[in-house]
Amino acid sequence: MKPTAVVIGAGIGGVATAARLAKNGYDVTVLEKNSQAGGRCNQIVKDGHRFDIGPTLFLMPEVWEETYAAMGEKMSDHMDLRRIDPTYKVHFDDGLQLELTSDIGKMQTQLERVEKTAFTGFLGYIAEGSKHYKISLEKFVGRNFYNIFEYFSLANLPLIFQLKALGKHYTNTGRFFKDERLKAAFTFQNMYLGLSPYDAPATYSLLQYTELAEGVWYPIGGMYKGIQTMTEIAEKLGVKFVYNAPAKKINVEKNKVKSVTVEDGRDFPADIFVGNADLPYIYDQLLPDKAAAKKLDEKLYTCSTIMFYWGVDKEYSQIAHHNIFLGGDYKSSFDEIFNDHTLPGKPSFYIHAPARTDASAAPKGQDTLYVLVPVGHLDESKGQDWDAMVNRARETVFARLEKEMGITDLKEHIKFEIINTPKTWKEQFNLVKGAAFGLSHNFWQVGFLRPQNRHAKYKNMYFAGASTHPGTGLPIVLLSARLTTERIMKEMGTISVQNMKNAVLAATD
């Protein structure tokens, strides 16, 4: 008889973990609150317009390839990837524009116009990012730590210093660039992780390396294509998905989880359990240990976002696939987001126009525009007026597009608008504090110091997703699925399907 597993949440980490477990001989059931899989990596389809709800950058393709291979499939059979280059157009409020590209000659020309020695600095910065990326993936991000001595081992301690894990990203960038705008251009990527570059470890120069060396890609059909294909593969492997089934309670007995009860009263027992819902939410709302939940509540959380999804009846070709608009005083804007938990006085924002690469994202002659405005997470002590912040964010976008691209008629051509705020992230996706990227990543919240992917008391309760080890970001969450599965297979003593077949064949000889 197969061992059984229940996965709570069908985000990409939950789907990938479920498929991996099924491939390794488990009978898996996934419980999902919403009507389809995806979590933050979901999609909106309306009037011929298709929006990715959350992530829009396909990075680290080798991690995706390994995930499909672990399911017994080839990524190329399921995903049609297109490289986006230039990766972004970056707009500064003083009129400077930069196109970040893997074309070294073009980068040299652009950078030296801003700062004479910037290109030499750029080469050094990317070289350091390459080193950080390779060490991080091999020694820290891509492995489990079962105790603190493994993490702070004699072999790892020198690597922690090599990775500059105790330094700050923005400060370290000053070693390579003097112009404040260039420092901003090579640190804003921290916002993918919901971090301030003034707080993020200098290790995160690896982000720019991955983009420019390995590329930023986009799958035809949108980022949701990854969810769709992995869900189909999981179902083919025997995984059962139960939708519209919000978990209400995780039932425990001594040091084991016995079952999960959903809102309609159904009970799902199993041998092991994997929480893919936001980890702090699971501790606070589903598990009985409130002391552990309180400790998690006191940790640092990432920022949130105000999102606009605009279906537009006109095409604006001057808007590239990925566009960054940096506004105002760079440091002050991050202080307002992360300390004051509000919308900066001069907000920065990002616009995604997928129809530049994928014509199926919008009706012919029209546009699908996704706008992300970073903002502080929910904080009851701040008296946050979300309606006012949404209106100010929207007007900021209109004003910058008019000033810098000559787009004066966008308001008149928006057919419909869908808005997500931190309240949406909390209510629809159970993200504590509406923090769109989960728990933050500083030195004290990474590696073994991050919430572990197995519960300390309930030994058959595991976790996969952004707020456990190794962290947030789609490819990192896919790594989380691999690491959690590896830990389950190691600790629960089960064997793969192929090993089962070999055992049966040996027994019948």
Side-chain angles (χ1 to χ4, degrees), residues 142-158:
R143 59 160 294 186
N144 281 307
F145 294 97
Y146 294 94
N147 58 64
I148 199 163
F149 302 107
E150 286 186 1
Y151 187 59
F152 289 115
S153 68
L154 290 176
N156 274 1
L157 279 174

Side-chain angles (χ1 to χ4, degrees), residues 373-388:
V373 187
V375 68
H377 63 59
L378 295 172
D379 185 343
E380 292 178 0
S381 72
K382 300 294 185 183
Q384 296 160 317
D385 185 342
W386 290 110
D387 288 341

Side-chain angles (χ1 to χ4, degrees), residues 88-107:
Y88 318 91
K89 285 189 177 179
V90 185
H91 302 256
F92 299 85
D93 64 352
D94 65 356
L96 175 68
Q97 294 185 21
L98 290 175
E99 288 189 348
L100 299 189
T101 171
S102 59
D103 185 321
I104 294 297
K106 286 183 180 178
M107 284 299 292

Side-chain angles (χ1 to χ4, degrees), residues 345-372:
K346 291 187 175 180
S348 298
F349 59 93
Y350 159 75
I351 299 180
H352 179 229
R356 293 302 156 274
T357 303
D358 182 359
S360 69
K364 189 173 181 180
Q366 302 188 30
D367 239 337
T368 291
L369 300 179
Y370 157 123
V371 182
L372 181 156

Side-chain angles (χ1 to χ4, degrees), residues 208-270:
Q208 292 73 44
Y209 166 76
T210 61
E211 291 179 352
L212 295 176
E214 297 194 353
V216 173
W217 303 79
Y218 189 74
I220 298 300
M223 295 296 290
Y224 192 68
K225 193 75 173 174
I227 288 286
Q228 285 177 317
T229 57
M230 286 187 192
T231 302
E232 289 166 2
I233 294 165
E235 288 176 332
K236 191 168 74 173
L237 291 170
V239 176
K240 296 176 285 294
F241 287 85
V242 183
Y243 296 110
N244 301 305
K248 183 179 182 180
K249 185 183 179 184
I250 295 174
N251 304 297
V252 302
E253 185 178 294
K254 295 182 180 177
N255 66 343
K256 287 188 72 176
V257 173
K258 303 300 289 184
S259 66
V260 177
T261 303
V262 297
E263 290 286 354
D264 64 11
R266 284 178 292 171
D267 204 48
F268 293 85

Side-chain angles (χ1 to χ4, degrees), residues 3 92 95 121 153 179 187 267 269 285 297 350 360 391-392 397 400:
F92 299 85
S153 68
D179 191 283
T187 57
D267 204 48
Q285 296 293 318
D297 189 62
Y350 159 75
S360 69
N391 290 333
R392 187 158 62 84
V397 175
R400 289 287 299 269

Side-chain angles (χ1 to χ4, degrees), residues 191 303-306 334 337 342-344 347-350 372-376:
M191 292 300 290
C303 70
S304 192
T305 61
I306 293 171
F334 284 106
I337 291 169
T342 190
L343 178 70
S348 298
F349 59 93
Y350 159 75
L372 181 156
V373 187
V375 68

Side-chain angles (χ1 to χ4, degrees), residues 312-321 323 353 356 365-369 401 405-414:
V312 183
D313 66 8
K314 178 180 176 180
E315 185 177 346
Y316 293 93
S317 58
Q318 58 268 61
I319 300 176
H321 189 111
N323 311 265
R356 293 302 156 274
Q366 302 188 30
D367 239 337
T368 291
L369 300 179
L401 290 178
M405 290 186 173
I407 296 174
T408 59
D409 60 350
L410 178 57
K411 283 185 190 179
E412 290 75 47
H413 288 281
I414 294 175

